[in-house]
Amino acid sequence: PRDWSSDVCSSDLAIARVAQEPQLDDHASAFDAAAAGLGAHAALLSEYHAVAHSVADAPDALQRSGQWQQAGELLGRAGAGLRAAGAEALLIATNTMHKVADTVVRESGLPLLHIGDATGRALSAAGCRRAGLLGTRFTMEDGFLHRHLAEGHGVAVTVPPEADRAEVHRIIFDELCRGVLRDESRATFARIIGDLHAAGCDSVVLGCTEISLLVDPAAPGWPLPLFDTTALHAQAAVDWMLQAQEEMA
């Protein structure tokens, strides 16, 4: 098989259960947490075959140069390879690359378990109607997740001011993606979350798979509920797998 690491970024494609590869660790850990405690249902997951494809490095360069169409086609071709290997549905294990979700679906020929649907359902179930959004500058500024949440789930999205968006983006790429966790950065996120609360948000979406490394949604003291897209996406995969197995039984 082709070695995609030479020409793709730290974005990941997977069917249902994500594999234990370095770039997939966030989703893999979240999947394991979601699957824990299922009792007899856990046997269904162990029998459900999963395929994963990690693509590393190129979409990062394509993002920076604004070549989103090429990035989407690249991920879509990887998805088509997963389909040929037996995948029946697709996860894009990153928020940012959902910007090209339509292209990935078209090129791969697979249905997508969209991270925005997993998040939107959780927000709606909690009665949230105005969510603050933290993530890469692409996720915060380009509107694709805003539209998905608003049009599909009735949740309006607010983002921080420009300077705070730049700092969140910097922390993600310069620190979290490199395994660096700093108390001062955690304090920055806490301040920004407080500002979003003051601006009228009733919730905050942690819209980058690395943010929960620094910000624990379950920790006490947050002024409003935090929704971790990584955990919600992994839970959606578990739910889909269980439903598929039950329908086949």
Side-chain angles (χ1 to χ4, degrees):
R2 178 178 177 182
D3 178 9
W4 291 88
S5 63
S6 63
D7 52 14
V8 218
C9 101
S10 52
S11 302
D12 306 296
L13 295 173
I15 162 62
R17 192 194 195 292
V18 290
Q20 296 289 348
E21 299 185 28
Q23 293 85 5
L24 292 168
D25 279 348
D26 295 338
H27 263 69
S29 298
F31 179 94
D32 290 338
L38 287 175
H41 289 295
L44 294 176
L45 298 185
S46 68
E47 295 173 2
Y48 199 89
H49 294 293
V51 185
H53 191 142
S54 177
V55 286
D57 294 332
D60 191 25
L62 293 173
Q63 287 173 12
R64 289 195 300 269
S65 61
Q67 299 180 74
W68 292 99
Q69 182 65 25
Q70 293 91 325
E73 291 171 354
L74 190 58
L75 294 182
R77 291 195 296 274
L82 293 177
R83 178 167 56 85
E88 297 171 355
L90 195 67
L91 299 180
I92 303 175
T94 160
N95 287 264
T96 297
M97 294 311 296
H98 278 75
K99 178 179 171 72
V100 294
D102 290 345
T103 300
V104 174
V105 169
R106 184 179 67 250
E107 295 287 331
S108 69
L110 285 171
L112 179 68
L113 306 182
H114 198 291
I115 203 166
D117 289 328
T119 305
R121 286 191 295 267
L123 289 164
S124 296
C128 300
R129 290 292 175 264
R130 185 178 177 189
L133 175 62
L134 302 178
T136 67
R137 66 181 176 87
F138 310 113
T139 299
M140 290 186 288
E141 296 177 3
D142 290 357
F144 55 92
L145 193 54
H146 307 53
R147 290 189 295 273
H148 201 92
L149 292 174
E151 296 170 6
H153 302 278
V155 178
V157 169
T158 297
V159 297
E162 182 177 358
D164 286 341
R165 295 198 303 270
E167 181 62 5
V168 167
H169 183 86
R170 185 199 66 77
I171 291 170
I172 289 170
F173 281 99
D174 292 354
E175 298 178 16
L176 302 184
C177 286
R178 300 177 181 181
V180 177
L181 305 178
R182 294 194 169 111
D183 288 341
E184 53 266 38
S185 295
R186 186 176 292 107
T188 295
F189 269 84
R191 176 188 60 76
I192 293 171
I193 289 168
D195 290 347
L196 288 168
H197 181 223
C201 293
D202 57 16
S203 53
V204 168
V205 171
L206 305 183
C208 175
T209 55
E210 284 78 21
I211 292 177
S212 59
L213 298 172
L214 184 70
V215 176
D216 180 3
W222 300 115
L224 34 69
L226 308 183
F227 290 79
D228 178 11
T229 56
T230 306
L232 293 169
H233 204 199
Q235 183 64 59
V238 171
D239 294 344
W240 179 85
M241 292 165 70
L242 290 174
Q243 180 181 359
Q245 281 287 355
E246 290 169 357
E247 290 173 353
M248 292 168 58

